[in-house]
Amino acid sequence: MSVNTLRRAVLGLFALAPIGGLVACGYRLRGMVDLSFKVIAITGSPSPPLRADLQTAILTGTDAKVAINPKDADLILDIISDINGREILAYNSNGQVSAYRLNIRVGFRAYDVAGADVVPEAEIYMTRDMDFSVSTVLATDVQMQQFLSLMRRDLAVQILRRVAASARAPQAKSF
């Protein structure tokens, strides 16, 4: 064995040691959402960007497919409301806006083909604070759209995680 091969092997061991420790303790990266449903339909009134983010999250983050027709689905994800907003957070000494708070509120419910609630009507709310400068309005507008896009993607994954957690949880029996 040459010195270079031995050096590479030792460096490889040092590089993999921290990852091995993380795997041993049960750590895993956020990735797949483990859903027991194989076909999901999105109904209700989501905005087109939220619908696209939900479809992307389902197709890339789960083993499920997206159905066009709710009759073909195992789970119906009904988006009840999708509200984006911004509010003034701060003013500068000249009385001009210097910060905004962006918020998105999504109301939803999920139920199976029999009509039984998997997730009863629920709401997820997300905020993000953003600095604002009058001198860079166009750049700030682009930044705001990027923040909203990232927030919608995160909300889509949170909705799927909530559905997965509720589907796994034991259902309370009513008498």
Side-chain angles (χ1 to χ4, degrees), residues 93-111:
S93 60
N94 297 331
Q96 297 171 329
V97 174
S98 64
Y100 281 109
R101 175 167 287 153
L102 305 174
N103 50 49
I104 299 179
R105 183 182 304 267
V106 177
F108 70 99
R109 75 180 272 249
Y111 54 94

Side-chain angles (χ1 to χ4, degrees), residues 14 18-19 43 50 53 56 129 135 145 163:
F14 282 127
I19 294 171
T43 62
L50 180 62
D53 288 335
T56 301
D129 296 342
S135 63
Q145 294 307 318
V163 169

Side-chain angles (χ1 to χ4, degrees), residues 14-131:
F14 282 127
L16 291 177
I19 294 171
L22 288 174
V23 170
C25 75
Y27 175 81
R28 67 184 177 116
L29 291 173
R30 278 207 223 163
M32 298 287 285
V33 176
D34 189 22
L35 286 175
S36 58
F37 304 99
K38 296 300 171 205
V39 183
I40 300 172
I42 303 168
T43 62
S45 58
S47 64
L50 180 62
R51 178 180 295 278
D53 288 335
L54 282 167
Q55 289 175 342
T56 301
I58 291 168
L59 293 174
T60 60
T62 70
D63 292 331
K65 304 288 183 233
V66 177
I68 305 290
N69 188 349
K71 293 177 184 173
D72 300 333
D74 299 340
L75 178 81
I76 292 95
L77 180 60
D78 187 25
I79 305 300
I80 299 163
S81 64
D82 176 12
I83 302 167
N84 295 341
R86 73 177 182 188
E87 57 192 62
I88 296 171
L89 192 60
Y91 293 97
N92 63 17
S93 60
N94 297 331
Q96 297 171 329
V97 174
S98 64
Y100 281 109
R101 175 167 287 153
L102 305 174
N103 50 49
I104 299 179
R105 183 182 304 267
V106 177
F108 70 99
R109 75 180 272 249
Y111 54 94
D112 60 14
V113 288
D117 278 343
V118 175
V119 178
E121 194 170 319
E123 191 172 76
I124 294 182
Y125 180 76
M126 181 177 286
T127 64
R128 182 154 300 158
D129 296 342
M130 183 183 106
D131 291 334

Side-chain angles (χ1 to χ4, degrees), residues 96-97 132-140:
Q96 297 171 329
V97 174
F132 178 77
S133 173
V134 178
S135 63
T136 58
V137 173
L138 292 177
T140 304

